[in-house]
Amino acid sequence: MSSSGASIDLTEELRAKGYRLTPARQLVLSAVLALEHATPDAICAEVQRTASSVNLSTVYRTLELLEELDLVSHTHLGHGAPIYHAAHERDHLHLVCGSCGKITEAATECADALVERLRGQYGFETDVPHFALFGRCADCVAAGKSAAAARHGGSGSGPGNNSTAPAS
């Protein structure tokens, strides 16, 4: 689905749930769709390209409302700020490279065996779409970057580097 098509669908959902589509809400929603996976700071920077008066607290409040309405969702990819994306995207988990910061989306089915084992052994229900795995991407493995760098955050730009690959 195109970003403009997704924006129209989400706009209609917001209105259908009884909320006005304020300019700030429209800008935040458009930024989430355009950036795909972004921190509140990145979303705010994108919004401020159009409306410099919108501040970070407005972005956080708007993201909170949009999440309550199931229009956006977030994932924690480390110790920093959460990453937001449109909730209409199909569920996926995030593979986070600790060396370069690249985030790769993977189909939730990749975790099926782990999810079943956790449920069977521990009775634990896993929130897979809110799931991130940390390690090294194929490029960093090929370049010989150490696993220790991945475990300790590496020297990359960290989570929020929006490089994503399609899930298989």
Side-chain angles (χ1 to χ4, degrees), residues 92-115:
H92 57 275
L93 54 98
H94 300 89
L95 308 178
V96 182
C97 181
S99 294
C100 71
K102 179 179 177 182
I103 302 167
T104 303
E105 293 179 6
T108 56
E109 294 78 23
C110 292
D112 284 352
L114 174 62
V115 168

Side-chain angles (χ1 to χ4, degrees), residues 10-154:
L10 294 177
T11 297
E12 302 225 355
E13 282 186 53
L14 185 66
R15 287 187 177 134
K17 293 178 181 189
Y19 289 86
R20 285 186 322 110
L21 183 63
T22 64
R25 288 176 184 162
Q26 177 64 53
L27 288 168
V28 169
L29 194 51
S30 294
V32 168
L33 292 167
L35 298 173
E36 296 182 5
H37 289 84
T39 64
D41 285 334
I43 293 166
C44 188
E46 179 70 16
V47 167
Q48 288 178 341
R49 291 178 51 194
T50 304
S52 60
S53 63
V54 176
N55 61 35
L56 189 57
S57 64
T58 299
V59 170
Y60 269 103
R61 283 192 310 272
T62 303
L63 288 169
E64 186 176 303
L65 171 65
L66 296 174
E67 189 160 28
E68 286 173 17
L69 298 173
D70 293 325
L71 298 177
V72 301
S73 61
H74 77 277
T75 301
H76 293 275
L77 301 180
H79 298 294
I83 301 295
Y84 286 85
H85 55 85
H88 73 275
E89 294 178 4
R90 65 171 181 67
D91 287 343
H92 57 275
L93 54 98
H94 300 89
L95 308 178
V96 182
C97 181
S99 294
C100 71
K102 179 179 177 182
I103 302 167
T104 303
E105 293 179 6
T108 56
E109 294 78 23
C110 292
D112 284 352
L114 174 62
V115 168
E116 286 304 315
R117 188 165 183 183
L118 291 171
R119 182 180 296 123
Q121 276 189 278
Y122 303 101
F124 186 81
E125 290 294 327
T126 306
D127 182 7
V128 176
H130 201 196
F131 195 35
L133 290 171
F134 297 85
R136 293 181 297 153
C137 69
D139 292 340
C140 288
V141 169
K145 294 190 178 175
S146 75
R151 281 192 300 276
H152 301 293

